[in-house]
Amino acid sequence: GQQVMQIPQYQHVQEGEDFTTYCNSSTTLSNIQWYKQRPGGHPVFLIQLVKSGEVKKQKRLTFQFGEAKKNSSLHITATQTTDVGTYFCAGPFMDSNYQLIWGAGTKLIIKP
Amino acid sequence: NAGVTQTPKFQVLKTGQSMTLQCAQDMNHEYMSWYRQDPGMGLRLIHYSVGAGITDQGEVPNGYNVSRSTTEDFPLRLLSAAPSQTSVYFCASSYLRRQGNYEQYFGPGTRLTVT
């Protein structure tokens, strides 16, 4: 069945280092969304990418959608403690406009 | 605007008990959905609705019922709780666009433990 794989599962960084999470779909996606979930919180929408090869930036966050629309990445430059949390990607199910399939998330941990 | 609200925040049930998780939104969103989140996994869709009177099954619907009598409310009913239903439950809502793409607004979640 359709799958969305997200790696790595965890990433430990020193504050100030960069962070990247990768999302790979088994099928072509019409779009991909990214969410952030703080510890103990709920997912919060960050961005949606729609076009092949699209790159969008939000301050220190850079989002990319692959040319084949099967992969995506989120890169954070110079991490801060406020970036701690789990980052999820999500894309539409093949046969439904109304269902999202989610990656398992990448947890960003800042080393003390 | 309160956004998406969920009650209760925490619940402990015994195996076989039934209960209803409440979800309400005040943003006039057509689309509402229920997810469960288990450790190390992404969110899995249980049921969803594209408008009042319309519901459909998601990825993991067994053991759960929903109804949507109004635009605002979308309760999730556990019919006979099982330990496998121990999870965090999130309700989400969104507008519907022509292509079906949407950003979802999530409630704070209900942490359910079934013993």
Side-chain angles (χ1 to χ4, degrees), chain A residues 9 30-31 33 35 37 40-45 48 50 88 92-93 96-105, chain B residues 31 35 37 40-45 48 50 57-59 90 96-104 106-108 111:
Chain A
Q9 189 176 1
S30 59
N31 67 86
Q33 299 180 14
Y35 290 78
Q37 184 178 25
H42 58 275
V44 174
F45 176 81
Q48 179 177 278
V50 178
F88 293 96
F93 265 111
S96 170
N97 279 338
Y98 306 127
Q99 299 188 50
L100 287 180
I101 182 168
W102 293 70
Chain B
Y31 184 92
Y35 289 94
Q37 184 175 38
M41 300 181 72
L43 287 88
R44 291 185 292 169
L45 183 66
Y48 66 95
V50 298
Q57 296 181 351
E59 188 183 355
F90 288 103
L96 279 179
R97 303 181 195 175
R98 190 158 51 96
Q99 305 91 337
N101 305 330
Y102 42 81
E103 63 179 88
Q104 300 200 61
F106 284 80
R111 293 182 180 275

Side-chain angles (χ1 to χ4, degrees), chain B residues 88-99:
Chain B
V88 180
Y89 291 84
F90 288 103
C91 179
S93 73
S94 71
Y95 291 114
L96 279 179
R97 303 181 195 175
R98 190 158 51 96
Q99 305 91 337

Side-chain angles (χ1 to χ4, degrees), chain A residues 56-72:
Chain A
K56 285 190 176 180
K57 292 192 176 186
Q58 290 179 350
K59 297 184 181 176
R60 294 177 295 104
L61 278 62
T62 301
F63 303 85
Q64 295 191 20
F65 200 11
E67 294 289 341
K69 301 182 79 173
K70 293 181 74 173
N71 56 72
S72 182

Side-chain angles (χ1 to χ4, degrees), chain A residues 22-112:
Chain A
Y22 300 91
C23 189
N24 295 293
S25 170
S26 58
T27 61
T28 301
L29 299 171
S30 59
N31 67 86
I32 194 159
Q33 299 180 14
W34 285 92
Y35 290 78
K36 176 184 177 181
Q37 184 178 25
R38 288 201 160 99
H42 58 275
V44 174
F45 176 81
L46 293 175
I47 207 161
Q48 179 177 278
L49 305 173
V50 178
K51 297 178 185 174
S52 169
E54 190 169 14
V55 178
K56 285 190 176 180
K57 292 192 176 186
Q58 290 179 350
K59 297 184 181 176
R60 294 177 295 104
L61 278 62
T62 301
F63 303 85
Q64 295 191 20
F65 200 11
E67 294 289 341
K69 301 182 79 173
K70 293 181 74 173
N71 56 72
S72 182
S73 64
L74 158 60
H75 180 82
I76 303 178
T77 304
T79 54
Q80 300 175 358
T81 54
T82 53
D83 297 324
V84 162
T86 302
Y87 294 83
F88 293 96
C89 62
F93 265 111
M94 253 187 323
D95 299 325
S96 170
N97 279 338
Y98 306 127
Q99 299 188 50
L100 287 180
I101 182 168
W102 293 70
T106 296
K107 191 170 186 177
L108 169 57
I109 299 162
I110 304 278
K111 296 178 196 175

